[in-house]
Amino acid sequence: MAARDMRAAVVLFLVLTVVTGLMYPLAMTGIGQVLFPRQANGSLIRVHGRVVGSALIGQYFRGPGLFWSRPSATSPTPYDAEASSASNLGPHNALLRKHVAARVAALRKADPKERGPIPIDLVTSSGSGLDPDISVAAARYQVARVARATKIPKARLDALIKRYTTPRSLGFLGEPVVNVVKLNLALWGMDGGHFRR
């Protein structure tokens, strides 16, 4: 290769490194900070100025007076954003069946009076293992247990679920979902901060 060709290759490499490695990321970061600052900084949820979570990442709730999240596939800590992954267990996998059976048993134990069908998203994890949302059916399934534990009337809990329900994207994509982190924070405010995770 001629020296001239080598020089041209090095110059092109340096130019592309500056453009794609520095200028483009800085431009995208700047645009994100100006146009979408909340989203660009992690959609953080603050209570009295303190960060308590993100609207994009679920949390592990198991108190009887709380709405429970979707199971998390991250291990060993649930909802660990540094370990985001699916379980990769297929529908016929014996380990998945075992996990689902254990989750069903935990839901039945937490609310023996609720004998209706359990929504699938309460016993299976999402693709990321971090999903903060559950279906409206999954939220409503838990109303009786939460009402008994918190003494908050079911009608008020139903209204709270409705308030924190996100409709289908563009009116037709996906299903309506409820953000459990936001729902439990609102519930905490109604319950005077008595519940525990």
Side-chain angles (χ1 to χ4, degrees):
M1 180 183 281
R4 189 183 67 199
D5 293 337
M6 180 65 101
R7 227 181 1 260
V10 170
V11 169
L12 182 60
F13 171 76
L14 292 174
V15 168
L16 287 175
T17 298
V18 170
V19 170
T20 62
L22 293 173
M23 293 173 64
Y24 178 77
L26 287 173
M28 292 300 101
T29 300
I31 290 169
Q33 291 295 332
V34 171
L35 299 179
F36 309 104
R38 187 180 65 79
Q39 294 90 333
N41 290 298
S43 299
L44 300 178
I45 300 172
R46 298 177 189 275
V47 174
H48 305 302
R50 188 171 67 100
V51 175
V52 296
S54 167
L56 304 175
I57 299 175
Q59 294 185 23
Y60 185 72
F61 299 109
R62 278 299 176 265
L66 295 168
F67 288 91
W68 292 4
S69 305
R70 232 185 141 151
S72 173
T74 64
S75 179
T77 306
Y79 298 101
D80 181 357
E82 293 182 349
S84 173
S85 67
S87 69
N88 292 327
L89 301 177
H92 300 293
N93 187 289
L95 185 58
L96 177 62
R97 284 195 216 116
K98 181 180 174 183
H99 287 175
V100 168
R103 292 163 183 163
V104 167
L107 286 162
R108 296 289 189 213
K109 183 178 178 183
D111 190 2
K113 294 181 179 180
E114 178 57 71
R115 302 309 300 169
I118 297 174
I120 192 73
D121 53 324
L122 286 180
V123 295
T124 56
S125 62
S126 66
S128 69
L130 304 174
D131 198 343
D133 300 321
I134 58 175
S135 65
V136 175
R140 288 187 177 143
Y141 176 86
Q142 303 179 67
V143 165
R145 170 179 49 80
V146 173
R148 278 195 303 276
T150 62
K151 308 297 187 234
I152 296 172
K154 291 181 183 179
R156 288 187 68 194
L157 294 175
D158 285 333
L160 200 63
I161 289 169
K162 187 174 182 181
R163 179 176 167 197
Y164 286 95
T165 296
T166 303
R168 291 179 170 93
S169 298
L170 303 175
F172 67 93
L173 295 175
E175 294 296 323
V177 293
V178 181
N179 187 296
V180 182
V181 178
K182 291 180 179 179
L183 180 65
N184 279 334
L185 282 172
L187 180 62
W188 180 73
M190 290 173 69
D191 193 36
H194 296 276
F195 72 65
R196 296 291 179 270
R197 287 185 186 178

